[in-house]
Amino acid sequence: IGGTYMRLFLKDPSFKPRDPSWFLESLLLRWMQELNAFTGDRTNNGGNSGESIGDELISSQGDIVEQLTSAVVCLCKTQDNLCSKISQWGYIEKAIAFVHRAVALKLVGSPLMSAIRLLHVAASDKENIEAMAIVGDAYGKGGLVDGILIAINGDPLHKDTGFMIETLEKIFVAALGDADKAGIVPGNGNGFEHRDTYSASPILEKKASVLEADQTNPSQ
């Protein structure tokens, strides 16, 4: 994949591929194709193939997806300058959309956690955090927090709840820093509202202002 043997790379993640950017791009493209295959989507851009997927194929795809996800995570950790490519190439939005789709289709094992793992490593980069913040409406519906909370709140709780909470914490800390010092309090939805002036990202500030305006003028 991308001129690199993925299995060999996973055995020694410190190995530097000939073209790390191409390797990451190829991994993410294949990763998205494999995730789409879980939902019967055999194309990269969507659409329904109308094919059903048997248990044996799902198991095989799960193994491939886990390897692809692990390769992306390792590459982003060892080549941290590449991490921002995840949002630049549109995979933050795709990963969040897949979280919602996986929960709706009850694909809460490997498919769901692969998307969560990608978002977890992506949260190490500010540009990726900005991309996460603009997904969903002003109250967070359809966004990352909304999707993860729905995934967690099953009956019983998802077995990987701890990792999902860790992912949310990592994102919030990266986006807001010390929330108490910054003057952030939870909003009525999944967004944030001002307590005082704070130095959060411009996108989060915009969401906060939208929430404030909506709460001030509920009839609009």
Side-chain angles (χ1 to χ4, degrees), residues 112-113 116 148 151-152 158 160-168:
L112 171 65
M113 293 313 300
I116 301 289
I148 291 182
I152 289 174
H158 194 284
D160 290 308
T161 290
F163 182 72
M164 294 188 199
I165 292 175
E166 179 185 320
T167 300
L168 289 176

Side-chain angles (χ1 to χ4, degrees), residues 18-202:
R18 287 181 299 173
D19 188 337
S21 181
W22 181 34
F23 184 38
L24 179 61
E25 184 177 8
S26 300
L27 285 171
L28 288 169
L29 179 61
R30 178 68 182 275
W31 177 81
M32 197 70 251
Q33 289 173 337
E34 293 295 334
L35 285 184
N36 285 336
F38 276 103
T39 61
D41 182 353
R42 304 289 178 174
T43 69
N44 182 44
N45 297 318
N48 191 342
S49 68
E51 298 180 24
S52 61
I53 303 176
D55 292 341
E56 183 177 349
L57 182 55
I58 286 178
S59 176
S60 173
Q61 286 172 340
D63 293 340
I64 294 172
V65 167
E66 287 183 8
Q67 291 175 20
L68 289 165
T69 307
S70 294
V72 170
V73 170
C74 289
L75 187 59
C76 287
K77 286 182 176 180
T78 58
Q79 306 278 333
D80 55 4
N81 60 308
L82 292 178
C83 200
S84 62
K85 299 290 187 182
I86 297 176
S87 58
Q88 292 173 16
W89 293 335
Y91 285 96
I92 293 296
E93 184 177 357
K94 291 178 181 179
I96 294 174
F98 188 82
V99 167
H100 285 272
R101 199 155 78 243
V103 171
L105 296 175
K106 302 189 184 303
L107 297 171
V108 294
S110 176
L112 171 65
M113 293 313 300
S114 291
I116 301 289
R117 287 179 64 197
L118 180 80
L119 293 165
H120 182 275
V121 75
S124 302
D125 181 86
K126 182 179 179 180
E127 193 170 338
N128 292 335
I129 294 292
E130 295 280 0
M132 293 176 194
I134 64 175
V135 179
D137 63 19
Y139 289 95
K141 186 175 181 181
L144 173 60
V145 177
D146 181 42
I148 291 182
L149 290 180
I150 294 173
I152 289 174
N153 292 325
D155 185 15
L157 289 177
H158 194 284
K159 64 183 181 68
D160 290 308
T161 290
F163 182 72
M164 294 188 199
I165 292 175
E166 179 185 320
T167 300
L168 289 176
E169 180 182 19
K170 183 179 181 181
I171 292 167
F172 285 139
V173 169
L176 304 175
D178 189 327
D180 290 332
K181 292 181 180 179
I184 306 295
V185 295
N188 291 336
N190 288 325
F192 305 93
E193 59 184 8
H194 290 278
R195 185 191 300 146
D196 288 306
T197 302
Y198 62 89
S199 56
S201 71

